[in-house]
Amino acid sequence: MQPAEGTHILFLDNDGILFSEPAQKLFHLNTMATFIWCLLEEGKERPAIVTNLQSTFALSKFDATRYLEQTQGLFQTLGVLKGFEPAPTIEEATTTETPALMAYGDD
């Protein structure tokens, strides 16, 4: 589980705001989701994230795993994890450049 390219966490007061540059969207995260996102940015794997959740929030392993699974599902739905980015729209996938015009002589 890794953050998608172009997705960044910003902090406003005590809130985590996730910005998806490709989608040009902002997502407000709760404390738990913000904490998990920061661990993902540090490159932590699932077992380390569960351990960090347990020690930081005084959770059982079961509850920590459940919160991580729920948050992972949310991040996947939002398209902010690598491999779950939304597909480009038809307009984004096609070029809109105007072909060059060529001048022909008066033959």
Side-chain angles (χ1 to χ4, degrees), residues 6 8 13-15 20 27 29 34-36 39 42-43 51 65 77 85 90 95-96 99 106:
H8 312 281
D13 295 326
N14 292 322
D15 295 329
S20 171
F27 305 102
L29 302 180
T34 299
F35 185 76
I36 291 170
L39 294 173
E42 292 176 7
T51 301
T65 302
T77 301
E85 302 91 342
I90 292 173
T95 59
T96 56
D106 295 327

Side-chain angles (χ1 to χ4, degrees), residues 28-43:
H28 180 254
L29 302 180
N30 66 19
T31 302
M32 187 86 59
T34 299
F35 185 76
I36 291 170
W37 187 265
C38 290
L39 294 173
L40 289 176
E41 284 193 343
E42 292 176 7

Side-chain angles (χ1 to χ4, degrees), residues 7-85:
T7 306
H8 312 281
I9 187 93
L10 310 165
F11 297 96
L12 183 63
D13 295 326
N14 292 322
D15 295 329
I17 308 294
L18 202 57
F19 174 60
S20 171
E21 189 175 341
Q24 292 293 297
K25 291 184 179 178
L26 295 169
F27 305 102
H28 180 254
L29 302 180
N30 66 19
T31 302
M32 187 86 59
T34 299
F35 185 76
I36 291 170
W37 187 265
C38 290
L39 294 173
L40 289 176
E41 284 193 343
E42 292 176 7
K44 302 287 189 203
E45 298 293 331
R46 289 180 60 85
I49 294 172
V50 168
T51 301
N52 275 276
L53 289 171
Q54 286 180 268
S55 62
T56 302
F57 296 100
L59 298 171
S60 67
K61 185 173 185 175
F62 176 82
D63 287 337
T65 302
R66 192 179 78 205
Y67 282 123
L68 177 57
E69 288 170 356
Q70 289 173 347
T71 304
Q72 180 179 354
L74 171 68
F75 289 159
Q76 289 172 349
T77 301
L78 297 177
V80 296
L81 290 179
K82 191 171 278 186
F84 292 92
E85 302 91 342

